[in-house]
Amino acid sequence: MAGFGIPHTDIAPFIGIDTKTLRKHFREELDRGMTEANAKVAQSLFQMATQGKNVAAAIFWMKARAGWREKIEIRPEVTPHASLTDAELEAIIRQGESPRRAYNRIIEGTPGVEGQ
């Protein structure tokens, strides 16, 4: 049963014993069964991935075994707050305005909180 991937917690009640008893007396068989099940699935997945029969299998294999990852590009946008005066920064804090909007309003002349 373990060779088909059935968990120990399901095997024990099926044969009428406690899970601890199952593990105590059949540890080797349980481990071998799980390894055999994993090997069968891995073999099938490998064949599907390498024979071009299943693109998803190939992608899964490359992610799981070859370290491939989805490309996520993060571009931080930095506002140069150093160019603002202390008074301008304090006004931003008092108004609850976002730093980006305040920077645009002060430096670039675009509408800010007052212009909304």
Side-chain angles (χ1 to χ4, degrees), residues 79-109 113-114:
T79 302
H81 299 294
S83 64
L84 301 176
T85 66
D86 288 347
E88 290 168 333
L89 289 171
E90 288 172 3
I92 291 168
I93 293 169
R94 278 194 304 277
Q95 295 173 8
E97 190 174 11
S98 76
R100 171 157 307 288
R101 183 167 288 186
Y103 177 79
N104 290 341
R105 180 177 49 77
I106 294 167
I107 303 301
E108 299 173 2
V113 172
E114 300 83 17

Side-chain angles (χ1 to χ4, degrees), residues 2 8 22-36:
H8 304 166
L22 177 71
R23 289 186 188 125
K24 179 179 178 181
H25 296 287
F26 298 100
R27 174 88 271 165
E28 186 178 324
E29 290 85 354
L30 292 170
D31 290 344
R32 187 175 53 245
M34 289 177 55
T35 301
E36 288 173 1

Side-chain angles (χ1 to χ4, degrees), residues 3-116:
F4 291 110
I6 298 172
H8 304 166
T9 53
D10 292 340
I11 296 171
F14 183 79
I15 61 174
I17 62 173
D18 186 71
T19 305
K20 290 180 183 180
T21 305
L22 177 71
R23 289 186 188 125
K24 179 179 178 181
H25 296 287
F26 298 100
R27 174 88 271 165
E28 186 178 324
E29 290 85 354
L30 292 170
D31 290 344
R32 187 175 53 245
M34 289 177 55
T35 301
E36 288 173 1
N38 288 339
K40 288 176 189 174
V41 172
Q43 180 182 13
S44 175
L45 175 64
F46 179 77
Q47 288 175 347
M48 288 188 291
T50 57
Q51 294 174 2
K53 294 181 179 180
N54 190 326
V55 174
I59 292 169
F60 175 78
W61 181 274
M62 294 308 292
K63 287 182 178 180
R65 304 290 296 193
W68 281 20
R69 299 287 177 256
E70 297 291 329
K71 182 178 179 180
I72 299 173
E73 188 173 329
I74 299 173
R75 291 184 176 193
E77 294 185 21
V78 180
T79 302
H81 299 294
S83 64
L84 301 176
T85 66
D86 288 347
E88 290 168 333
L89 289 171
E90 288 172 3
I92 291 168
I93 293 169
R94 278 194 304 277
Q95 295 173 8
E97 190 174 11
S98 76
R100 171 157 307 288
R101 183 167 288 186
Y103 177 79
N104 290 341
R105 180 177 49 77
I106 294 167
I107 303 301
E108 299 173 2
T110 57
V113 172
E114 300 83 17
Q116 290 181 344

